[in-house]
Short mmCIF file of all heavy atoms in Angstrom, two decimals:
data_model
loop_
_atom_site.label_atom_id
_atom_site.label_comp_id
_atom_site.label_asym_id
_atom_site.label_seq_id
_atom_site.Cartn_x
_atom_site.Cartn_y
_atom_site.Cartn_z
N VAL A 445 -4.98 32.69 19.00
CA VAL A 445 -5.59 31.47 18.51
C VAL A 445 -7.02 31.49 18.78
O VAL A 445 -7.76 31.08 17.84
CB VAL A 445 -4.95 30.24 19.11
CG1 VAL A 445 -5.64 29.03 18.79
CG2 VAL A 445 -3.45 30.13 18.77
N VAL A 446 -7.42 31.92 19.94
CA VAL A 446 -8.94 32.01 20.14
C VAL A 446 -9.48 32.85 19.22
O VAL A 446 -10.70 32.68 18.73
CB VAL A 446 -9.16 32.43 21.66
CG1 VAL A 446 -10.59 32.65 21.88
CG2 VAL A 446 -8.59 31.39 22.63
N GLU A 447 -8.95 34.06 18.90
CA GLU A 447 -9.59 35.07 17.96
C GLU A 447 -9.62 34.59 16.60
O GLU A 447 -10.41 35.00 15.78
CB GLU A 447 -8.93 36.35 18.09
CG GLU A 447 -9.06 36.99 19.56
CD GLU A 447 -8.22 38.17 19.84
OE1 GLU A 447 -7.52 38.55 18.80
OE2 GLU A 447 -8.17 38.82 20.87
N HIS A 448 -8.68 33.75 16.17
CA HIS A 448 -8.52 33.40 14.72
C HIS A 448 -8.67 31.84 14.51
O HIS A 448 -8.15 31.36 13.45
CB HIS A 448 -7.07 33.83 14.17
CG HIS A 448 -6.84 35.31 14.17
ND1 HIS A 448 -6.52 35.99 15.34
CD2 HIS A 448 -6.87 36.29 13.34
CE1 HIS A 448 -6.35 37.23 15.19
NE2 HIS A 448 -6.57 37.45 13.93
N GLU A 449 -9.43 31.23 15.41
CA GLU A 449 -9.52 29.78 15.32
C GLU A 449 -10.31 29.35 14.02
O GLU A 449 -10.19 28.23 13.50
CB GLU A 449 -10.10 29.14 16.46
CG GLU A 449 -11.52 29.66 16.75
CD GLU A 449 -12.10 28.94 17.96
OE1 GLU A 449 -11.54 28.07 18.58
OE2 GLU A 449 -13.25 29.40 18.32
N ASN A 450 -11.13 30.27 13.47
CA ASN A 450 -11.88 29.88 12.39
C ASN A 450 -11.26 30.37 10.96
O ASN A 450 -11.76 30.17 9.94
CB ASN A 450 -13.30 30.57 12.39
CG ASN A 450 -14.13 30.04 13.61
OD1 ASN A 450 -14.04 28.79 13.88
ND2 ASN A 450 -14.94 30.82 14.24
N ASP A 451 -10.05 30.82 11.12
CA ASP A 451 -9.29 31.29 9.89
C ASP A 451 -9.01 30.00 8.98
O ASP A 451 -8.57 29.03 9.64
CB ASP A 451 -7.97 32.03 10.17
CG ASP A 451 -8.27 33.43 10.85
OD1 ASP A 451 -9.50 33.70 10.98
OD2 ASP A 451 -7.33 34.06 11.31
N PRO A 452 -9.08 29.94 7.71
CA PRO A 452 -8.88 28.84 6.91
C PRO A 452 -7.48 28.39 6.79
O PRO A 452 -7.20 27.24 6.75
CB PRO A 452 -9.36 29.22 5.54
CG PRO A 452 -9.29 30.79 5.43
CD PRO A 452 -9.58 31.23 6.82
N GLU A 453 -6.57 29.41 7.05
CA GLU A 453 -5.02 29.06 7.11
C GLU A 453 -4.43 28.84 8.43
O GLU A 453 -3.19 28.92 8.66
CB GLU A 453 -4.30 30.05 6.27
CG GLU A 453 -4.21 31.44 7.00
CD GLU A 453 -5.46 32.22 6.61
OE1 GLU A 453 -6.36 31.72 5.97
OE2 GLU A 453 -5.54 33.48 7.16
N ILE A 454 -5.35 28.70 9.51
CA ILE A 454 -4.96 28.67 10.89
C ILE A 454 -3.90 27.60 11.15
O ILE A 454 -2.96 27.53 11.91
CB ILE A 454 -6.03 28.48 11.87
CG1 ILE A 454 -5.54 28.52 13.33
CG2 ILE A 454 -6.84 27.26 11.53
CD1 ILE A 454 -5.15 29.94 13.79
N ASP A 455 -3.97 26.43 10.27
CA ASP A 455 -3.18 25.10 10.52
C ASP A 455 -2.03 25.13 9.52
O ASP A 455 -1.34 24.07 9.48
CB ASP A 455 -4.00 23.85 10.43
CG ASP A 455 -4.97 23.74 11.55
OD1 ASP A 455 -4.58 23.97 12.78
OD2 ASP A 455 -6.17 23.49 11.34
N GLN A 456 -1.73 26.19 8.86
CA GLN A 456 -0.68 26.22 7.88
C GLN A 456 0.54 26.94 8.52
O GLN A 456 0.37 27.90 9.23
CB GLN A 456 -1.13 26.94 6.51
CG GLN A 456 -2.19 26.16 5.87
CD GLN A 456 -2.64 26.97 4.61
OE1 GLN A 456 -2.00 27.95 4.19
NE2 GLN A 456 -3.67 26.52 3.96
N MET A 457 1.69 26.40 8.27
CA MET A 457 2.93 27.04 8.80
C MET A 457 3.20 28.37 8.08
O MET A 457 3.15 28.52 6.88
CB MET A 457 4.10 26.16 8.54
CG MET A 457 5.37 26.62 9.13
SD MET A 457 5.38 26.45 11.00
CE MET A 457 5.48 24.65 11.19
N PRO A 458 3.34 29.51 8.78
CA PRO A 458 3.56 30.78 8.22
C PRO A 458 4.99 30.89 7.56
O PRO A 458 5.91 30.28 7.99
CB PRO A 458 3.52 31.77 9.41
CG PRO A 458 3.97 30.94 10.63
CD PRO A 458 3.42 29.61 10.29
N LEU A 459 4.94 31.60 6.30
CA LEU A 459 6.14 31.77 5.67
C LEU A 459 6.42 33.17 5.40
O LEU A 459 5.56 33.95 5.05
CB LEU A 459 6.18 30.98 4.22
CG LEU A 459 5.96 29.54 4.31
CD1 LEU A 459 5.76 28.94 2.99
CD2 LEU A 459 7.27 28.88 5.06
N VAL A 460 7.64 33.73 5.66
CA VAL A 460 7.86 35.08 5.57
C VAL A 460 9.33 35.24 4.74
O VAL A 460 10.14 34.26 4.74
CB VAL A 460 8.09 35.76 6.92
CG1 VAL A 460 6.77 35.72 7.64
CG2 VAL A 460 9.09 35.08 7.72
N PRO A 461 9.58 36.33 4.14
CA PRO A 461 10.82 36.51 3.52
C PRO A 461 11.99 36.28 4.58
O PRO A 461 11.83 36.57 5.68
CB PRO A 461 10.82 37.99 3.05
CG PRO A 461 9.38 38.26 2.80
CD PRO A 461 8.70 37.50 3.84
N LYS A 462 13.01 35.66 4.00
CA LYS A 462 14.11 35.30 4.89
C LYS A 462 14.66 36.41 5.81
O LYS A 462 15.03 36.01 6.93
CB LYS A 462 15.30 34.72 3.99
CG LYS A 462 16.33 34.08 4.80
CD LYS A 462 17.44 33.48 3.98
CE LYS A 462 18.49 32.80 4.69
NZ LYS A 462 19.48 32.08 3.84
N ASP A 463 14.79 37.64 5.34
CA ASP A 463 15.29 38.74 6.21
C ASP A 463 14.27 39.38 7.03
O ASP A 463 14.64 40.36 7.73
CB ASP A 463 16.03 39.74 5.32
CG ASP A 463 17.19 39.14 4.51
OD1 ASP A 463 17.74 38.16 5.07
OD2 ASP A 463 17.43 39.53 3.39
N THR A 464 13.12 38.80 7.08
CA THR A 464 12.06 39.47 7.91
C THR A 464 12.35 39.27 9.51
O THR A 464 12.65 38.16 9.81
CB THR A 464 10.66 38.97 7.66
OG1 THR A 464 10.41 39.14 6.26
CG2 THR A 464 9.63 39.60 8.55
N LYS A 465 12.28 40.32 10.22
CA LYS A 465 12.50 40.22 11.68
C LYS A 465 11.20 40.40 12.33
O LYS A 465 10.35 41.17 12.03
CB LYS A 465 13.54 41.26 12.09
CG LYS A 465 14.90 41.01 11.56
CD LYS A 465 15.79 42.19 12.13
CE LYS A 465 17.20 42.02 11.64
NZ LYS A 465 18.15 42.98 12.06
N VAL A 466 10.97 39.60 13.34
CA VAL A 466 9.85 39.67 14.25
C VAL A 466 9.98 40.74 15.27
O VAL A 466 10.90 40.81 16.08
CB VAL A 466 9.47 38.43 14.88
CG1 VAL A 466 8.18 38.45 15.79
CG2 VAL A 466 9.42 37.32 13.91
N GLU A 467 9.15 41.71 15.27
CA GLU A 467 9.18 42.73 16.19
C GLU A 467 7.94 42.77 17.12
O GLU A 467 6.81 42.55 16.63
CB GLU A 467 9.33 44.21 15.45
CG GLU A 467 10.66 44.40 14.74
CD GLU A 467 10.68 45.66 14.02
OE1 GLU A 467 9.70 46.49 14.27
OE2 GLU A 467 11.68 45.93 13.41
N ALA A 468 8.17 43.00 18.34
CA ALA A 468 7.01 43.09 19.26
C ALA A 468 6.08 44.34 18.90
O ALA A 468 6.69 45.38 18.56
CB ALA A 468 7.50 43.22 20.67
N PRO A 469 4.81 44.21 19.01
CA PRO A 469 3.93 45.23 18.71
C PRO A 469 4.24 46.45 19.66
O PRO A 469 4.37 46.26 20.92
CB PRO A 469 2.55 44.81 18.90
CG PRO A 469 2.67 43.51 19.74
CD PRO A 469 4.06 43.07 19.48
N LYS A 470 4.17 47.62 19.02
CA LYS A 470 4.40 48.83 19.97
C LYS A 470 3.19 49.28 20.55
O LYS A 470 2.10 49.29 19.99
CB LYS A 470 5.03 49.98 19.14
CG LYS A 470 6.43 49.57 18.53
CD LYS A 470 6.98 50.75 17.75
CE LYS A 470 8.36 50.44 17.20
NZ LYS A 470 8.86 51.57 16.31
N PRO A 471 3.18 49.64 21.82
CA PRO A 471 1.90 50.09 22.46
C PRO A 471 1.48 51.42 21.86
O PRO A 471 2.20 52.30 21.58
CB PRO A 471 2.35 50.22 23.90
CG PRO A 471 3.77 50.54 23.88
CD PRO A 471 4.44 49.63 22.80
N SER A 472 0.17 51.53 21.58
CA SER A 472 -0.44 52.60 20.93
C SER A 472 -0.96 53.56 22.05
O SER A 472 -1.54 54.81 21.77
CB SER A 472 -1.62 52.20 20.05
OG SER A 472 -2.46 51.53 20.79
N LEU A 473 -0.81 53.35 23.32
CA LEU A 473 -1.30 54.13 24.34
C LEU A 473 -0.13 54.59 25.19
O LEU A 473 0.88 54.09 25.26
CB LEU A 473 -2.31 53.42 25.36
CG LEU A 473 -3.55 52.78 24.74
CD1 LEU A 473 -4.27 51.99 25.71
CD2 LEU A 473 -4.38 53.85 24.26
#
Side-chain angles (χ1 to χ4, degrees):
V445 173
V446 173
E447 294 173 358
H448 298 81
E449 63 179 352
N450 295 324
D451 292 356
E453 67 278 2
I454 184 69
D455 293 314
Q456 298 178 7
M457 186 68 73
L459 297 175
V460 297
K462 188 174 182 180
D463 296 332
T464 302
K465 294 182 179 180
V466 180
E467 296 181 359
K470 297 180 180 179
S472 59
L473 300 176

